[in-house]
Amino acid sequence: MRLVVTGRDGQVAASLLEAGPAAAGVEVIAIGRPQLDLARPDTVIEAIAAAKPDIVVSAAAYTAVDQAEDEPDLAFAVNAVGAGKVAQAASRLGVPVIHLSTDYVFDGTKDAAYVETDATAPRSVYGASKLAGEQAVASANPHHLILRTAWVYSPFGKNFVKTMLRLAADRDEIAVVADQWGNPTSALDVADAILHAAAQLHEGAGTSGIYHLAGTGEANWSGFARHILDTSRVLGGPWARVRDIATMDYPTKARRPANSRLSSAKFAAAFGWNAPEWRQSTEAVVPRLLAGEPKQALTA
């Protein structure tokens, strides 16, 4: 099975490239700019066709949440039009597409974990562009898995875990938002789940549709930060006190949902895969960052 992933530098793409060699009978190929540029739709179909995929993983995206408020046209060009082109390219080849989406398609006002049938109501340009991408993917390719995930971190790219470790190396105390809740999700786990689901799709099993795929268990940002730093301290890494603050004390250009919790029960039932508990997954990533793997680990 040849898995072709859009984007080379993203957290999920990097995690898939790492996990691929250990998966029997799987070849993972990542394609990105300049060969494939979602902001230039004319490049997409040719690049994907040349890679000869059995399954396409649509992982490339515009992810600058606050910057998207100033660049809505670019956010929609990449996350909606570009994502649709990726799905169309897969459809022309007669292969499924696995598309990554986000918790930001919800407004965060629900008082429980979101399920796939809940109404979407994004509060930001980024969330709206990703929702438009879901719709474009579903329209372009009937054989699709749309996977909404949340609070993604890994040993790769920029993410919250890296930022906390970097700040702790320079500060005694870090102020972190305590009134936003979600599921910390390791991109390493997302990659494992994608490989698991892709194998079933390749065999003609699995049901197309929208699924939630997030870490098991919930946390607020400050609780997530405390666990990161406590894990680091045990390993001899940087540590700092975490001070709880409210969202209103840390204003951002884009509005974040107060509740990003996602129920992944539908994915577990359909594909027989459950994410590890989020603390366990965090404890697998922190030592890699402290070891300098990769070397730019603490530059987020």
Side-chain angles (χ1 to χ4, degrees), residues 19-55:
V26 177
E27 180 184 15
V28 178
I29 298 173
I31 52 176
R33 292 177 293 187
Q35 293 93 339
L36 181 144
D37 185 346
L38 296 191
R40 295 171 54 224
D42 57 297
T43 67
V44 174
I45 291 177
E46 181 179 350
I48 290 176
K52 296 181 170 59
D54 293 305
I55 292 177

Side-chain angles (χ1 to χ4, degrees), residues 90-283:
S91 183
R92 287 189 178 185
L93 297 171
V95 302
V97 62
I98 300 175
H99 176 70
L100 292 177
S101 190
T102 175
D103 54 308
Y104 278 47
V105 299
F106 297 113
D107 64 10
T109 59
K110 187 179 179 180
D111 60 2
Y114 281 94
V115 297
E116 290 81 355
T117 53
D118 283 327
T120 53
R123 305 180 73 187
S124 64
V125 168
Y126 168 73
S129 71
K130 291 297 288 182
L131 179 59
E134 291 185 6
Q135 296 162 347
V137 167
S139 176
N141 191 333
H143 303 295
H144 62 265
L145 291 187
I146 294 170
L147 304 179
R148 293 173 179 154
T149 190
W151 294 24
V152 177
Y153 65 92
S154 71
F156 316 107
K158 294 184 177 181
N159 60 71
F160 184 76
V161 176
K162 290 183 178 181
T163 298
M164 290 301 102
L165 293 174
R166 176 178 58 80
L167 292 177
D170 297 325
R171 304 181 186 181
D172 296 326
E173 183 178 86
I174 306 171
V176 184
V177 169
D179 56 358
Q180 295 176 22
W181 291 80
N183 311 100
T185 306
S186 169
L188 303 178
D189 295 335
V190 173
D192 185 55
I194 288 173
L195 289 169
H196 190 87
Q200 295 186 37
L201 292 177
H202 189 53
E203 295 169 0
T207 303
S208 293
I210 295 174
Y211 295 84
H212 292 172
L213 178 60
T216 298
E218 63 186 51
N220 59 12
W221 284 114
S222 62
F224 186 20
R226 286 189 180 91
H227 189 67
I228 294 164
L229 298 178
D230 287 346
T231 301
S232 174
R233 178 165 61 174
V234 168
L235 297 170
W239 180 86
R241 293 183 302 276
V242 174
R243 176 167 56 87
D244 291 358
I245 61 171
T247 297
M248 63 182 297
D249 298 323
Y250 187 74
T252 56
K253 186 165 291 188
R255 299 174 69 190
R256 268 72 171 172
N259 174 29
S260 282
R261 292 174 292 171
L262 302 177
S263 169
S264 300
K266 180 184 175 182
F267 185 88
F271 296 99
W273 188 93
N274 286 282
E277 205 275 336
W278 70 266
R279 293 175 184 84
Q280 177 183 341
S281 294
T282 303
E283 291 161 12

